[in-house]
Amino acid sequence: MMLKKAQRLNAVARRSLIVLFASAALCGCREKSVRQSGAGAEPVYTKQYRQAAETVIVSLSETNLSTSGRIRLTIDVHAPEGEDVVIPEIEDAIAPFTVEESHTEPVRFLPNGKHLHRRVWTLDPGLPGQTQFQALEILAGPETLKTDPVAVTVSSLLPENLETPEIRDIAAPIEWLPEEQARLRIRYILLAVSGLIALSVLVARMVRRPRKTQELSPQEAARQALDRLPEDELARIDEARRILLEFLDRQFQIPTAGKTTGEIIRTIPKYPLLGRRVTLVDKLTANDLVRFSNRIPEGYADSLVEYVRGFVEETMEVPCD
């Protein structure tokens, strides 16, 4: 009898050691994976696509990783100056991976005269197994470049023959002592009183007649916002851009929220804008270059504010269909 009990205790101890070693391996491999998939690590997968004057480069920091690792996905687009570049969202193409973080780097000038557009994602894996990243369609000027699918393998860090420890002889919960029961009753009473007070305040606010607020027209809202611009030059530029995009959205139904300048420009040809499209596109493109540069041209902020003010005044009479 004692021998069987000792053998059972030894088995439980072995299972506990296996779990501890697996947890330590998870933590260590997680740190190693994060270090290796950093910005400075060389990608293990790189493929280049070229069409006309446009070039797309897709890079992956890993194609074979554990469930505790991460993948850094980078898409570089080399396009001539003045061309619009649209890099799509990838959430649907990488399932079951998820996007932990993503960012778009400022446009850089290359020695060959082209512009470098870069988008970077950090991806977390799902369950172990084989995954295939779907092909992406990247718009660069008049060309659309389609990438190839990429196979990614995710492996588990846990041993295949790891047994789940059995938990037996769980003791029943201890009954509340009389002193603890009294304290619990007091807490419940205080909680009920607090709930009644909060409910009374909520009902009182609902009974009050809400104030009627009149929504401002797009032109009036833009005028008032332009009259309250901040003094800081960079802040004035950002606020003037926000006012212009909000006016385009409300007055001409051009979707601007959450979109890049390139995506906004692509929707503008659907709306005549009273013959002002060319100037509007130039202003939006120049604004991107100024915002991502290290120096603001003298008088640019005032000229942008005056353009936005004039655009609002000139288009207030006849909205675009």
Side-chain angles (χ1 to χ4, degrees):
M1 183 68 178
M2 295 296 294
L3 180 60
K4 291 183 178 180
K5 187 174 182 180
Q7 290 177 348
R8 189 161 54 250
L9 291 175
N10 289 335
V12 173
R14 284 196 300 271
R15 295 191 189 102
S16 301
L17 287 175
I18 292 175
V19 174
L20 287 176
F21 286 136
S23 301
L26 280 171
C27 296
C29 292
R30 178 71 173 187
E31 294 177 358
K32 181 178 179 182
S33 174
V34 172
R35 290 195 299 268
Q36 290 181 349
S37 61
E42 289 293 331
V44 301
Y45 173 90
T46 301
K47 190 160 185 180
Q48 177 175 298
Y49 307 86
R50 180 173 296 172
Q51 186 169 336
E54 294 75 17
T55 302
V56 173
I57 302 174
V58 179
S59 303
L60 289 173
S61 63
E62 301 284 348
T63 56
N64 193 337
L65 72 160
S66 65
T67 52
S68 64
R70 291 176 181 170
I71 290 181
R72 177 184 171 91
L73 170 62
T74 304
I75 296 181
D76 292 339
V77 181
H78 300 186
E81 182 178 359
E83 287 192 355
D84 297 333
V85 173
V86 179
I87 301 177
E89 298 299 330
I90 66 170
E91 282 77 2
D92 296 335
I94 62 170
F97 278 70
T98 56
V99 177
E100 179 186 347
E101 185 270 339
S102 67
H103 66 273
T104 301
E105 296 185 0
V107 178
R108 289 189 289 175
F109 297 92
L110 299 176
N112 60 4
K114 294 183 180 180
H115 285 183
L116 170 60
H117 306 260
R118 173 171 291 174
R119 183 81 182 270
V120 181
W121 296 267
T122 301
L123 310 179
D124 281 336
L127 298 175
Q130 188 79 14
T131 300
Q132 187 175 61
F133 292 172
Q134 302 301 316
L136 298 174
E137 292 187 355
I138 300 170
L139 182 66
E143 306 294 339
T144 299
L145 290 87
K146 185 174 182 179
T147 66
D148 295 332
V150 182
V152 178
T153 302
V154 180
S155 58
S156 174
L157 291 175
L158 298 176
E160 295 182 358
N161 57 351
L162 179 64
E163 297 181 0
T164 303
E166 296 182 3
I167 301 176
R168 300 178 179 177
D169 300 328
I170 300 178
I174 301 175
E175 295 291 341
W176 294 106
L177 298 176
E179 296 83 1
E180 294 175 334
Q181 292 179 356
R183 285 196 294 268
L184 281 176
R185 282 195 294 269
I186 294 175
R187 291 177 184 175
Y188 292 150
I189 293 173
L190 293 177
L191 183 61
V193 172
S194 302
L196 288 175
I197 295 174
L199 181 61
S200 301
V201 173
L202 180 61
V203 171
R205 290 183 178 178
M206 293 177 62
V207 170
R208 295 177 184 173
R209 179 178 297 177
R211 297 180 179 178
K212 294 182 179 179
T213 57
Q214 183 178 3
E215 184 179 0
L216 297 176
S217 65
Q219 293 82 10
E220 187 60 29
R223 286 199 208 97
Q224 293 186 12
L226 288 170
D227 292 336
R228 298 191 302 268
L229 291 174
E231 295 295 333
D232 180 72
E233 191 172 20
L234 182 58
R236 286 171 63 85
I237 294 174
D238 291 339
E239 181 64 10
R241 172 188 170 84
R242 185 197 66 78
I243 295 171
L244 177 59
L245 295 182
E246 183 177 335
F247 181 75
L248 290 174
D249 194 345
R250 294 187 59 191
Q251 179 71 0
F252 300 100
Q253 292 76 49
I254 298 177
T256 60
K259 295 186 178 294
T260 64
T261 299
E263 293 170 338
I264 295 172
I265 291 175
R266 289 182 58 79
T267 62
I268 289 178
K270 299 178 181 178
Y271 309 91
L273 284 177
L274 305 179
R276 298 175 177 82
R277 180 189 179 279
V278 175
T279 305
L280 177 61
V281 170
D282 291 343
K283 290 293 183 180
L284 292 175
T285 304
N287 180 257
D288 263 8
L289 296 177
V290 171
R291 290 168 61 229
F292 292 121
S293 66
N294 296 325
R295 187 178 68 87
I296 301 175
E298 183 178 357
Y300 175 76
D302 293 336
S303 65
L304 178 62
V305 172
E306 290 304 317
Y307 169 76
V308 175
R309 193 185 302 275
F311 184 85
V312 171
E313 296 296 336
E314 293 171 3
T315 58
M316 64 177 294
E317 294 297 336
V318 184
C320 181
D321 294 332

